[in-house]
Amino acid sequence: MTLGTRRVKSKWRPTVTQPTMRQVAERAGVSIALVSLVMREAPNVSDYRRQLVVDAAAELGYRPNVLARNLASRRTNTIGVVLNDLHNPFFAEIIDGLQNAADAAGHQVLIGNGRHSKAGESEMLETFLQFRVDGLVLVGSTASLSTIEAAAQITPLVAVGRTTRSKKFDTVNTDDKLGARLAVEHLLALGHSRIAHIDGGSGAGARARREGYAASMTTVGMADHISVARGDFSEIGGYKAARELLSRRQVPTAIFVANDLSAVGALDRAEEAGFCVPTDMSIVGYDNTSLAATHHLSLTTINQPREELGRLAFQSLLERLKSGRTAAVHRVVAPSLVKRRTSGPVHSREQAR
């Protein structure tokens, strides 16, 4: 008995293969060794022969195998940057300074999103280590110290916005306690005494800002007016914390918020509740992101020199890569107050209370 057959339409398609170094050499009429020298940008090749190889590679659409080349040289000329939260403009603005410094030094920057979680950060760290990046920069990291130190044992690492005295990696930070003091002193000078604080929860720098706020209030004899609402570095966190503060028996006349995103949420809630900012209530943020400077918000805030933080982070990596420095360096830059429209004198009726 003969079994019938059924024609099946094949889904196979011919694969497009990448041209090889040998094909480039044949097209240019030179040796494979010479092609390799050109692709590695070696200096001991004549301009004429270099151009032959470049033209042949362009005609064939050849792309050098960067990974193989880097494995041979033990350098990738790449820096892995893990951002705690890709949506926070503060972190993005740090990248500007880092990217400019990296470009000048001939390094590529790869960016990974930690997705606002320790697990996400750990995953990105592992990915970059597998890609054998020359160094790592963690921005606003909340990963455990042991996780960061383990990565620093493998490749040079700098943490931005992470206060620690670890001897295994470098840090670049703003003096957050000073920043909090500047915010409180500004509001005190405007006549406010009922100054509340919306903190940043477990976010990088939040603890120092909270402590700086409490210390500043205590120093001027206003420890009884210390009022903290737990938030986080997000708009919704600021909104919820402001809602809590405005529901208390003694409503604050001013709020110092742990970052600009959270301050936007607090501002929304205050205006939603019928408060006119700054006539009825002053609000001060932290970071001085591009968001704070928009005409609509015009948010009084504490400036962190974001591009400088990024530049210093790359500088630290370059010192380790070029000079072999192993001792940890912890850099701290000074913040400053930026006065805008969301802060003003305490209302006369509040002064009378």
Side-chain angles (χ1 to χ4, degrees):
M1 183 174 67
T2 303
L3 297 177
T5 60
R6 183 165 57 92
R7 294 175 66 89
V8 178
K9 187 177 181 180
S10 173
K11 295 183 179 179
W12 178 85
R13 294 288 185 276
T15 58
V16 178
T17 59
Q18 291 285 345
T20 65
M21 192 178 292
R22 179 180 295 278
Q23 290 172 315
V24 173
E26 291 173 353
R27 175 66 65 93
V30 299
S31 67
I32 296 177
L34 181 66
V35 174
S36 177
L37 288 173
V38 173
M39 294 305 160
R40 288 189 282 114
E41 299 182 355
N44 53 331
V45 179
S46 70
D47 291 342
Y48 172 73
R49 300 178 80 194
R50 185 184 303 277
Q51 194 61 50
L52 284 176
V53 173
V54 169
D55 290 344
E59 291 170 8
L60 292 172
Y62 173 78
R63 290 179 176 81
N65 188 332
V66 176
L67 181 60
R69 183 182 68 194
N70 290 338
L71 288 176
S73 67
R74 297 183 181 274
R75 282 290 176 86
T76 65
N77 286 329
T78 58
I79 301 299
V81 182
V82 181
L83 300 181
N84 172 267
D85 180 10
L86 198 61
H87 298 93
N88 190 331
F90 169 69
F91 297 146
E93 289 168 22
I94 288 176
I95 294 298
D96 290 339
L98 194 153
Q99 182 79 64
N100 290 337
D103 287 348
H107 282 70
Q108 299 295 317
V109 175
L110 305 178
I111 299 174
N113 182 15
R115 302 192 302 278
H116 218 306
S117 72
K118 292 183 179 180
E121 287 184 37
S122 296
E123 181 181 329
M124 288 312 309
L125 274 174
E126 181 59 31
T127 298
F128 282 140
L129 290 174
Q130 289 178 11
F131 273 96
R132 302 192 185 187
V133 294
D134 290 341
L136 285 165
V137 178
L138 310 188
V139 183
S141 177
T142 59
S144 68
L145 182 61
S146 60
T147 296
I148 298 175
E149 288 189 334
Q153 298 277 68
I154 300 171
T155 191
L157 186 151
V158 181
V160 181
R162 175 70 178 251
T163 303
T164 176
R165 303 309 297 178
S166 173
K167 296 180 179 180
K168 296 183 179 179
F169 61 92
D170 298 344
T171 61
V172 179
N173 290 291
T174 302
D175 187 339
D176 288 318
K177 288 187 177 180
L178 172 58
R181 193 182 82 199
L182 292 174
V184 172
E185 288 178 348
H186 169 63
L187 293 169
L188 289 170
L190 291 171
H192 295 277
S193 58
R194 298 204 306 276
I195 303 169
H197 176 55
I198 294 176
D199 83 355
S202 60
R207 179 177 177 180
R209 295 168 204 179
R210 182 172 60 249
E211 291 176 350
Y213 156 77
S216 298
M217 293 290 283
T218 301
T219 298
V220 295
M222 292 188 179
D224 290 344
H225 289 287
I226 291 175
S227 178
V228 178
R230 186 173 178 80
D232 57 33
F233 286 161
S234 70
E235 289 183 49
I236 188 63
Y239 180 92
K240 290 180 178 179
R243 183 173 60 192
E244 179 195 334
L245 288 174
L246 298 182
S247 68
R248 293 179 181 178
R249 184 179 62 83
Q250 193 171 56
V251 176
T253 63
I255 305 175
F256 163 48
V257 192
N259 84 335
D260 289 346
L261 273 181
S262 189
V264 171
L267 183 62
D268 282 347
R269 178 54 192 153
E271 293 182 342
E272 184 180 85
F275 289 86
C276 179
V277 177
T279 304
D280 300 322
M281 178 177 292
S282 289
I283 294 179
V284 176
Y286 202 106
D287 287 343
N288 192 32
T289 59
S290 55
L291 180 68
T294 58
H295 178 74
H296 174 68
L297 285 177
S298 190
L299 179 69
T300 296
T301 187
I302 300 300
N303 178 62
Q304 295 201 71
R306 293 145 336 268
E307 290 197 14
E308 183 182 358
L309 293 172
R311 180 182 60 78
L312 288 174
F314 183 77
Q315 179 181 318
S316 286
L317 283 184
L318 208 58
E319 287 173 3
R320 285 179 175 266
L321 291 170
K322 285 194 169 183
S323 69
R325 173 173 62 80
T326 57
V329 173
H330 302 288
R331 293 179 166 90
V332 180
V333 299
S336 59
L337 174 72
V338 179
K339 301 176 186 178
R340 295 196 181 99
R341 292 202 306 262
T342 59
S343 60
V346 64
H347 198 287
S348 57
R349 68 171 177 266
E350 297 297 338
Q351 286 180 321
R353 293 187 181 185

